[in-house]
Amino acid sequence: MNAPLWTLPAFALIASAYASVGLGGATAYAAVLSLTDVPYTQIPPLVLSLNLLVAGSAYASFHGAGRVPYSILAPLLATSIPAAFAGGLVPLRERHFLFLLAFALLLAGLRFLLGSRLRRAVARDGGRGGMSNGALLIVGLGIGLLAGMTGIGGGVYLAPILLLRGAGDLETVPAITSGFVFFNSAAGLAGHLTRIEPVLDLWIPLGAAAVVGAIAGAFAAVRWLPTVWTQRVFGAVLVVVAVLNGAKAL
């Protein structure tokens, strides 16, 4: 099975946009693939493998610079890694997968649409005083399970929680989420590969396109930040695709 040609520039653009704001892009990759004839069972492991490439490079940079607060990341990973692996073991029916994907896309779209308000809220009150280890364990469990089942990394959901609860700031949260996405993508992918054989003719070209886009996005982010309108348009697209997937599942 070969990847549709139009998906290659689409994946490069997605990787570029997500990398510019410190995310992996799993939700958007899944959205694109859900609109093609790629078997839905191939979507989660393929998307998780792309997350390893994109989030892994970001995590390596943050770790090398000593910017990862492991006191926060460690309890998140303690529950999310086994949960993501367990989620990858669950064989979903196509209808259930599309419903979960629609939910994930909707949350991701709202994250982009409301991103500027989130930043203003954090700047105004600095969060709500942090999160206990118990709360971090619970959050890791829930997001890890969703990540493994649907093929997302979970960073797009984790970041707003950490910011609003004061568990990180606009500088440390990307470092936390990059590690969270990397390790949970690896765990979820391991779970899926116990029952699904990857289609390399599909994975390799899409992976290459994502890597090129991610490098371009990271390069651009260093020189100028994405505009609020760019993020809003991207969020609106994700919401529309979420509705399409929900309708497709009905």
Side-chain angles (χ1 to χ4, degrees):
M1 174 183 296
N2 295 317
L5 289 178
W6 66 269
T7 60
L8 299 179
F11 269 47
L13 180 61
I14 289 168
S16 178
Y18 270 76
S20 69
V21 293
L23 297 171
T27 46
Y29 300 138
V32 169
L33 292 174
S34 70
L35 302 177
T36 70
D37 60 356
V38 172
Y40 80 96
T41 54
Q42 284 288 328
I43 294 178
L46 170 56
V47 168
L48 289 171
S49 68
L50 295 177
N51 262 358
L52 286 176
L53 297 173
V54 178
S57 60
Y59 172 65
S61 298
F62 286 125
H63 175 77
R67 293 177 56 184
V68 182
Y70 284 100
S71 60
I72 297 174
L73 180 59
L76 286 168
L77 294 179
T79 51
S80 65
I81 288 177
F85 179 77
L89 295 174
V90 178
L92 294 175
R93 294 182 178 179
E94 183 174 11
R95 183 182 183 187
H96 297 158
F97 169 74
L98 291 174
F99 269 128
L100 282 175
L101 179 59
F103 174 70
L105 290 171
L106 180 61
L107 290 181
L110 292 175
R111 158 67 176 81
F112 278 97
L113 286 172
L114 303 177
S116 59
R117 295 184 182 181
L118 175 62
R119 287 191 294 274
R120 287 197 296 268
V122 173
R124 183 175 61 250
D125 59 24
R128 301 181 183 177
M131 298 175 66
S132 66
N133 283 340
L136 291 171
L137 291 170
I138 293 173
V139 169
L141 179 67
I143 297 180
L145 186 61
L146 181 63
M149 293 175 67
T150 59
I152 61 171
V156 74
Y157 316 122
L158 178 62
I161 294 174
L162 295 178
L163 288 170
L164 292 175
R165 298 302 303 177
D169 54 35
L170 295 175
E171 292 184 359
T172 60
V173 165
I176 298 170
T177 55
S178 65
F180 186 86
V181 170
F182 175 73
F183 286 106
N184 283 287
S185 295
L189 179 61
H192 282 281
L193 292 182
T194 62
R195 56 187 182 82
I196 295 173
E197 183 176 350
V199 180
L200 295 182
D201 288 346
L202 182 67
W203 288 34
I204 292 175
L206 291 177
V211 168
V212 170
I215 293 173
F219 180 82
V222 173
R223 285 156 178 79
W224 62 84
L225 293 175
T227 67
V228 171
W229 284 108
T230 299
Q231 295 186 40
R232 287 178 178 174
V233 170
F234 206 67
V237 171
L238 290 180
V239 170
V240 170
V241 177
V243 172
L244 292 176
N245 274 277
K248 186 177 178 181
L250 295 176

